[in-house]
């Protein structure tokens, strides 16, 4: 029996393989890139021929009618067919059938769709999914065919034209016959209503805004009526309120005449009572600036024509005839607040920072990819690991009370409750033995003890790890319903819960890990989270990429989310010198913001923006900043700024303290004014991650590293060396690290998100940061010492000519054009100022150019050279 099975099974397998060889080769040929390219090229050529033929039919179709009446499909290629169509007999025949005898001129939309299909097939190398486009185009072509035929019929009927008697049916035979059918049954008014109704139905399924716009159109007249009625009601209420206040002021008792309290009332402080005549209409409680709180009650009307005027000295009132009264506790309880002198002409509605891009739409979930997750748990694997752990602990004399497992995306946490009297250190020392017993590929991690539990934890990698989708994290309830100011969905924890945190609470993040362990993907996940949650008016991002390849895909969203220096072409910083400049510029922006926050009398950016939104700050008020832009700044809405630096170690190796000191300054002070930093490095050594950086970056994100020493530098404790890689990380904010599997977002997903954003309306430019101030000893004249014009820079003349020719006195422009450092460019700019060619420093704006002609410039240069 066994031999028969062994001999027949290979035969069946070979036979099945032979039967599948031929179709597999054919399918491979069809699916090949060359086949798709050729097919796309053929479709494009065919669509071009059809388009030219259809257009030519409008011009030459009348001359070809005699031939087309007797032309059939098998006579198309006969040599004696003399037609005038630009594509010959083929064009004339297809035009006659597709245009005249089918759907008319709207069939050109099908030609355009056909061209698009061929283009995507040829360029993308894959079969495009255009079923939805085909359905929408079909409905549009059918409706346009009916519309053109209806226009021809109405024009011929009402105005006596002869559009339908022409050789060309604009709506084709389909539109002509359908128009005749509708006119016969509904007449012309019914035809018009049918066209309008069908157009609305089609637009409802094609455009999301159709329903809202239609409702707005049909609800316009009732809205106007309600508006007029509301204004009349508000006017009547204001008049009644002013009348009540006038009567209250006429009958108010003097404040030095206290009224004796009623019997049974005790107290040393007298209560002042103001008697007001009763009114027939109920009036609501009001508040006057310099008056006490008024509490008004409804009272019955006076009988027998009595007037509601009581005597000023009256202390008691008749029963059932209580007047309206005002109770106040003193004259100084309410203080009239001063009104700003410049707010009278400002609008009183709340300021909307998103108004400039009010139609901006956040990226949709379908731009991200979903990865299949295995819902079932491999019980055999978990049971085997549990038994191996128990056996290893038992071999070394460690007894346990219970063991349980929590399965995550990539690791499983075994929670072990030890017998009383067992030292935790004994389990910690057995990490290598336990890893060897379960044959772990990347080691295990022991948590002793688990925070909040009387147990220790052993994290074991799964044999079949799952990919955590960025789409699942973004679409999760934890992220969508979060109230964080800068929410970030990082990935999933061991409990399969989406891990989110607020960057403003971090407030700065240090990311480190060995090469290829997921740092770049983690940074992309952070940026993606911010793009999905924050409006372009609420967030600006500064990207520094010394490797030149990681952040280049974000160039397309420059006018929406990025910030840059003046005269900076590339919004992604790739040069070390430009990195120093952008960091100094952020320091200047930080000082400007602190000046604004101080003047507003608030403590942080959130309170400041709330004041600005409620129009409690004057945007025309000028604030002088002590450092940064010497010209100061005005009150404005402040977006959050997130500076992300990739490969921080390379910057430290090349620039050293020039980079470290401004980063430390920003990390120490900038959190209150909404500037946050994220720096990443693949070399977590003590020379790179210095004590200054560690002290100011409390939030750490550690991917897998080579040794426990590197882990100690990042997290101040070991553990990162035992991670399994591929996005496995430890996130720490100073307490016990949380193990997270970072969400995977691939480059095509990021490109789709950026394309979705860039295709929408953006700002005219990226956010322009203030030009960094040149400090003393860096070529600036901040010390007040005169510039020596006897020792000019060799590039002085060329820089002067450039400034005069362009009309812009910008240090960054000189730096960029002549490829020199910022310090040298700053010294040249100071020399130009001393020579009278440019004006003084003017903050984020370029310096004013005082010399306007070449002759005047040559005179100055000759005078300087003669010294």
């Amino acid at each position: 029996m066994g031999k028969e099975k062994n001999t027949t099974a290979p035969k069946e397998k070979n036979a099945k393989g032979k039967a599948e060889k031929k179709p597999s080769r054919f399918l491979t040929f069809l699916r090949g890139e060359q086949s798709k390219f050729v097919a796309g090229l053929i479709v494009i050529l065919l669509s071009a021929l059809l388009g030219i033929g259809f257009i030519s039919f409008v011009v030459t179709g009348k001359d070809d009618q005699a031939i087309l009446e007797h032309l059939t499909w098998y006579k198309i290629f006969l040599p004696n067919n003399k037609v005038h169509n630009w594509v010959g007999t083929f064009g004339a025949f297809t035009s006659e059938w597709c245009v005249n005898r089918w759907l008319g001129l709207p069939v050109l939309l099908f030609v355009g769709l056909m061209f698009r299909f061929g283009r995507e097939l040829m360029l993308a190398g894959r079969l495009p999914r255009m079923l939805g486009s085909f359905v929408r185009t079909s409905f549009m072509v059918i409706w346009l065919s009916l519309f053109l035929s209806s226009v021809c019929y109405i024009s011929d009927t009402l105005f006596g034209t002869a559009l339908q008697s022409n050789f060309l049916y604009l709506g084709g035979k389909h539109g002509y016959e359908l128009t005749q059918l509708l006119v016969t049954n509904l007449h012309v008014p019914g035809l018009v209503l049918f066209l309008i109704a069908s157009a609305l139905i089609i637009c409802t399924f094609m455009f999301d805004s159709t329903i809202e716009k239609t409702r707005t159109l049909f609800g316009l007249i009732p809205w106007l009526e309600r508006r007029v009625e509301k204004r009349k009601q508000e006017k009547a209420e204001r008049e009644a309120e002013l009348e009540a206040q006038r009567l209250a002021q006429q009958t108010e008792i003097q404040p030095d005449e206290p009224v004796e309290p009623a019997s049974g009332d005790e107290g040393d402080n007298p209560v002042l009572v103001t008697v007001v005549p009763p009114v027939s209409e109920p009036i609501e409680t009001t508040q006057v600036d310099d008056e006490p709180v008024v509490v008004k009650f409804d009272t019955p009307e006076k009988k027998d024509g009595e007037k509601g005027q009581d005597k000023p000295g009256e202390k008691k009132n008749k029963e059932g005839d209580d007047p309206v009264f005002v109770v106040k506790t003193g004259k100084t309880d309410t203080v009239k607040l001063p009104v700003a002198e410049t707010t009278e002409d400002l609008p009183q509605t709340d300021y909307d920072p998103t108004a400039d891009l009010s139609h901006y739409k956040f990226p949709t979930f379908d731009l991200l990819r979903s990865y299949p997750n295995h819902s079932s748990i491999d019980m055999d694997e978990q049971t085997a690991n549990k038994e191996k752990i128990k056996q290893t602990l038992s071999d070394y004399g460690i007894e346990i009370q219970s063991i349980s497992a929590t399965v995550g995306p990539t690791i499983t946490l075994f929670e072990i409750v030890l017998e009383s009297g067992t030292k935790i250190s004994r389990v910690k020392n057995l990490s290598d033995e336990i890893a060897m017993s379960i044959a772990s590929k990347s080691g295990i991690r022991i948590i002793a003890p688990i925070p909040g539990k009387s147990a220790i934890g052993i994290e074991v990698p799964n044999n079949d790890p799952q990919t955590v989708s960025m789409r699942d994290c973004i679409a999760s309830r934890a992220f969508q319903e979060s109230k964080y100011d800068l929410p970030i969905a990082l990935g999933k924890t061991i409990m399969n819960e989406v891990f989110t945190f607020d960057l403003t609470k971090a407030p700065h993040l240090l990311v480190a890990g060995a090469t290829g362990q997921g740092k770049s993907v983690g940074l992309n996940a952070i940026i993606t989270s911010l793009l999905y949650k924050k409006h372009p008016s609420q967030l600006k991002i500064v990207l520094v990429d010394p490797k030149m390849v990681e952040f280049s895909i974000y160039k397309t969203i420059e006018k929406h989310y990025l910030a840059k220096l003046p005269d900076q072409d590339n919004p992604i910083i790739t040069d070390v010198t430009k990195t120093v400049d952008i960091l100094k510029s952020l320091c200047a922006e930080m000082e400007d913001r602190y000046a604004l926050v101080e003047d507003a009398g608030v403590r942080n950016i959130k309170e400041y923006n709330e004041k600005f939104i409620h129009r409690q700050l004057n945007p025309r008020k000028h604030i002088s900043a002590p450092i940064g832009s010497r010209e100061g700044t005005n009150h404005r809405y402040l977006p959050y700024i997130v500076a992300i630096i990739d490969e921080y170690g390379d910057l430290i190796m090349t620039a050293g303290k020039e980079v470290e000191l401004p980063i430390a300054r920003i990390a120490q002070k900038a959190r209150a004014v909404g500037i946050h930093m994220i720096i990443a490095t693949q070399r977590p050594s003590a020379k790179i991650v210095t004590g200054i950086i560690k002290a100011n970056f409390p939030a750490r994100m550690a991917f897998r590293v080579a040794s426990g020493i590197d882990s100690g530098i990042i997290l101040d404790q070991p553990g990162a060396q035992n991670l399994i890689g591929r996005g496995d990380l430890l996130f720490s904010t100073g307490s016990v690290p949380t193990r997270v599997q970072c969400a995977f977002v691939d480059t095509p997903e990021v490109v789709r998100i950026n394309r979705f954003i860039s295709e929408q309306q953006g700002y005219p430019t990226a956010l322009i940061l203030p030009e960094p101030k040149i400090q003393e000893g860096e070529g600036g004249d901040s010390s007040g010492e005169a510039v020596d014009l006897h020792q000019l820079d060799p590039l002085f003349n060329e820089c002067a000519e450039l400034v005069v020719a362009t009309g812009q006195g910008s240090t960054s422009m000189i730096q960029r054009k002549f490829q020199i450092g910022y310090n040298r460019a700053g010294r040249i700019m100071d020399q130009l100022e001393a020579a009278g060619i440019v004006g003084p420093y003017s903050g984020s704006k370029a310096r004013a150019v005082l010399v306007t002609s070449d002759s005047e410039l040559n005179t100055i240069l000759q005078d300087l050279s003669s010294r």
Side-chain angles (χ1 to χ4, degrees), residues 508-562:
H508 309 288
L509 180 62
L510 171 63
V511 183
T515 304
Q517 301 304 318
K519 292 191 310 301
S520 298
V521 175
L523 295 178
N524 286 331
I526 292 174
I527 298 175
T528 301
S529 301
L530 296 175
L531 296 182
Y532 266 88
K533 201 69 174 177
K534 305 303 291 185
H535 190 273
S537 63
Q538 302 169 336
L539 171 69
K540 299 300 175 184
I541 304 175
V542 175
L543 297 177
V544 179
D545 182 17
K547 292 191 289 189
M548 304 183 185
V549 294
E550 296 296 342
F551 294 150
S552 59
I553 54 180
Y554 294 102
K555 287 182 181 180
T556 55
I557 60 172
E558 171 186 356
K559 295 182 178 180
H560 296 80
Y561 283 100
L562 299 189

Side-chain angles (χ1 to χ4, degrees), residues 353-542:
T354 65
D356 293 337
L357 300 181
S358 58
H359 298 291
Y360 176 81
K361 294 183 179 179
F362 288 94
T364 55
F365 296 150
D366 58 358
L367 299 174
L368 296 171
R369 179 182 174 187
S370 256
Y371 295 91
N373 289 329
H374 308 291
S375 57
S376 60
I377 299 175
D378 189 352
M379 293 303 301
D380 295 336
E381 175 190 353
Q382 305 304 330
T383 303
N385 288 338
K386 182 196 71 172
E387 295 299 331
K388 292 175 181 178
I389 292 174
K390 290 177 62 178
Q391 183 62 40
T392 304
L393 295 177
S394 178
D395 292 342
Y396 289 90
I398 300 176
E399 300 296 331
I400 64 176
Q401 294 182 1
S402 63
I403 183 172
S404 60
T406 302
V407 182
T410 56
I411 62 172
T412 299
L413 174 64
F414 289 92
E415 296 184 13
I416 301 174
V417 179
L418 302 175
E419 291 286 352
S420 59
T422 305
K423 292 184 178 181
I424 296 178
S425 59
R426 296 181 59 191
V427 181
K428 286 185 176 180
N429 296 331
L430 296 177
S431 59
D432 295 336
E433 286 76 8
I434 297 174
M436 183 179 64
S437 66
I438 62 178
S440 175
K441 297 180 180 179
S442 56
I444 64 171
R445 178 170 172 263
I446 297 179
I447 308 172
I450 299 176
K453 295 183 179 180
S454 299
I456 64 171
I458 300 178
E459 295 176 344
V460 179
N462 295 335
N463 293 334
D464 186 17
Q466 301 177 13
T467 300
V468 176
S469 169
M470 191 69 199
R471 177 172 181 170
D472 295 341
C473 297
I474 293 295
S476 65
R477 185 184 299 272
F479 181 75
Q480 291 298 321
E481 297 182 357
S482 66
K483 303 300 181 182
Y484 296 154
D485 294 321
L486 290 177
I488 293 176
L490 194 57
K492 290 187 177 181
T493 62
I494 300 176
M495 307 298 294
N496 266 319
E497 298 174 348
V498 176
F499 181 81
T500 61
F501 70 96
D502 188 359
L503 185 59
T504 61
K505 305 298 182 185
H508 309 288
L509 180 62
L510 171 63
V511 183
T515 304
Q517 301 304 318
K519 292 191 310 301
S520 298
V521 175
L523 295 178
N524 286 331
I526 292 174
I527 298 175
T528 301
S529 301
L530 296 175
L531 296 182
Y532 266 88
K533 201 69 174 177
K534 305 303 291 185
H535 190 273
S537 63
Q538 302 169 336
L539 171 69
K540 299 300 175 184
I541 304 175
V542 175

Side-chain angles (χ1 to χ4, degrees), residues 131-407:
L131 179 61
S133 300
F134 175 75
V135 173
R136 290 190 292 269
T137 305
S138 301
F139 280 109
M140 290 177 61
V141 169
I142 294 172
W143 186 86
L144 287 173
S145 172
L146 175 61
F147 174 75
L148 292 176
S149 298
S150 302
V151 170
C152 293
Y153 178 85
I154 295 173
S155 178
D156 293 349
T157 303
L158 299 180
F159 305 105
T161 59
L163 295 178
Q164 286 188 318
S165 62
N166 193 10
F167 79 96
L168 178 63
Y169 288 91
L170 295 180
K173 203 70 174 179
H174 162 268
Y176 176 80
E177 296 292 344
L178 190 55
T179 301
Q180 295 296 328
L181 177 63
L182 292 174
V183 170
T184 303
N185 293 277
L186 302 176
H187 298 290
V188 175
L191 175 63
V192 175
L193 292 176
F194 180 83
L195 285 172
I196 296 174
S198 58
L200 284 177
I201 293 173
I202 294 174
C203 291
T204 299
F205 288 100
M206 291 182 62
F207 308 105
D208 296 335
S209 60
T210 302
I211 297 177
E212 181 181 354
K213 292 182 179 179
T214 305
R215 288 174 176 172
T216 303
L217 179 63
F218 282 101
L220 181 61
I221 297 177
W223 180 82
L224 290 175
E225 294 177 351
R226 291 193 301 269
R227 189 69 178 172
V228 173
E229 185 66 26
K230 184 178 180 181
R231 288 186 177 180
K232 291 181 179 179
Q233 184 179 359
E234 290 177 352
K235 183 178 180 181
E237 290 178 356
R238 284 197 300 269
E239 292 177 353
E241 183 177 355
L242 292 175
E243 181 67 18
Q245 293 176 8
R246 185 181 63 81
L247 294 175
Q249 292 174 0
Q250 290 178 356
T251 58
E252 184 176 6
I253 299 177
Q254 295 298 325
D256 57 349
E257 297 180 4
V259 180
E260 296 179 2
S263 58
D265 294 338
E266 297 180 1
D268 297 332
N269 298 326
V271 179
L272 302 183
V273 178
T274 300
V275 181
V276 181
V279 292
S280 58
E281 294 294 331
I283 303 176
E284 297 179 355
T285 302
T286 60
Q287 175 85 28
V288 187
D289 287 341
D290 201 17
E291 296 294 329
V293 178
V294 180
V295 186
K296 302 183 179 180
F297 301 90
D298 298 341
T299 59
E301 297 181 357
K302 294 284 185 179
K303 298 180 181 180
D304 302 329
E306 292 181 2
K307 295 183 179 181
Q309 186 73 25
D310 295 320
K311 297 179 181 180
E314 184 176 353
K315 298 182 180 180
K316 297 184 180 179
N317 303 298
K318 297 179 181 180
E319 185 177 357
D321 195 20
D322 296 333
V324 179
F325 64 93
V326 178
V327 180
K328 58 183 179 181
T329 58
K331 198 69 177 179
T332 59
D333 283 355
T334 304
V335 180
K336 185 175 181 180
L337 298 177
V339 181
E341 298 178 358
T342 57
T343 59
E344 295 178 356
D345 56 342
L346 296 178
Q348 297 303 315
T349 57
D350 285 350
Y351 171 75
D352 183 10
T354 65
D356 293 337
L357 300 181
S358 58
H359 298 291
Y360 176 81
K361 294 183 179 179
F362 288 94
T364 55
F365 296 150
D366 58 358
L367 299 174
L368 296 171
R369 179 182 174 187
S370 256
Y371 295 91
N373 289 329
H374 308 291
S375 57
S376 60
I377 299 175
D378 189 352
M379 293 303 301
D380 295 336
E381 175 190 353
Q382 305 304 330
T383 303
N385 288 338
K386 182 196 71 172
E387 295 299 331
K388 292 175 181 178
I389 292 174
K390 290 177 62 178
Q391 183 62 40
T392 304
L393 295 177
S394 178
D395 292 342
Y396 289 90
I398 300 176
E399 300 296 331
I400 64 176
Q401 294 182 1
S402 63
I403 183 172
S404 60
T406 302
V407 182

Side-chain angles (χ1 to χ4, degrees), residues 608-737:
Y608 176 87
N609 283 337
E610 287 180 358
K611 261 195 166 184
F612 189 85
I613 289 175
H614 295 317
R615 299 192 183 274
Q616 299 174 6
L617 301 174
N618 183 13
R620 290 188 287 272
K621 183 178 180 181
H622 188 75
I623 308 299
S624 299
I627 304 176
S629 58
R630 296 174 186 170
E631 296 298 321
T633 183
N634 292 0
H635 282 297
R636 64 189 189 276
Y637 182 83
L638 300 179
Y640 286 97
I641 298 178
V642 179
I644 304 178
I645 301 177
D646 190 19
E647 200 42 63
Y648 167 74
D650 182 69
L651 298 178
I652 290 296
M653 296 293 291
T654 53
K657 294 294 183 181
E658 286 188 274
V659 172
E660 183 180 3
L661 293 181
I663 288 179
R665 241 186 118 225
I666 294 171
Q668 287 172 349
K669 295 179 58 178
R671 62 172 298 180
V673 290
I675 301 178
H676 305 274
M677 295 207 69
I678 301 174
I679 61 175
T681 180
Q682 63 181 3
R683 289 178 286 183
S685 63
K687 294 182 179 180
I688 305 300
V689 185
T690 61
I692 298 177
I693 297 299
K694 292 177 67 175
N696 293 286
F697 283 77
R700 320 277 177 81
M701 198 164 76
F703 292 86
R704 186 180 182 182
V705 294
S707 65
I709 297 176
D710 294 341
S711 177
I713 292 174
I714 305 169
L715 300 174
D716 296 326
Q717 58 182 293
Q721 75 279 8
N722 294 323
L723 299 176
I724 63 176
R726 295 177 60 86
D728 189 19
L729 64 93
L730 291 174
F731 186 87
S732 171
T733 55
S735 57
V736 179

